[in-house]
Amino acid sequence: MTRTAQSSQPVHGNIRHGFVYERVPHVTLKSIANNAEIDVIWDRWRAELEPLRESLNTALKNAWQEWDIRERLIASGRTQ
């Protein structure tokens, strides 16, 4: 490892490069937040998951919000 910038040259099939992990772009929170399709994805899944949350609250006699469900089920030992 050196302090030089990574080469943009292909590294496949060249033994002189030694062992090189495949270089891929990293997913960052900024790239997720700036994703124009995130609202479309959110609307689609919210429409499917909201009725399930309501039925879960009714069955368990709770008033959990969407962010409460996983943490509370894990804390109670009901899920992995």
Side-chain angles (χ1 to χ4, degrees):
M1 297 225 274
T2 63
R3 292 182 180 228
T4 59
Q6 290 181 352
S7 171
S8 61
Q9 299 296 321
V11 294
H12 300 290
N14 190 341
I15 192 96
R16 287 183 282 171
H17 291 285
F19 182 74
V20 179
Y21 285 102
E22 187 171 340
R23 296 182 181 133
V24 296
H26 294 283
V27 176
T28 62
L29 290 177
K30 180 180 179 183
S31 66
I32 293 170
N34 291 332
N35 184 348
E37 291 188 30
I38 198 74
D39 291 329
V40 174
I41 295 167
W42 170 256
D43 290 339
R44 179 187 180 274
W45 285 105
R46 184 174 179 126
E48 289 188 33
L49 294 174
E50 189 63 26
L52 295 173
R53 183 183 65 83
E54 289 175 4
S55 63
L56 181 67
N57 279 336
T58 301
L60 298 176
K61 297 183 177 96
N62 289 319
W64 291 347
Q65 299 297 321
E66 61 204 32
W67 57 84
D68 288 330
I69 295 172
R70 178 170 167 74
E71 288 78 11
R72 294 200 183 185
L73 288 176
I74 289 172
S76 69
R78 293 185 191 167
T79 188
Q80 302 169 19

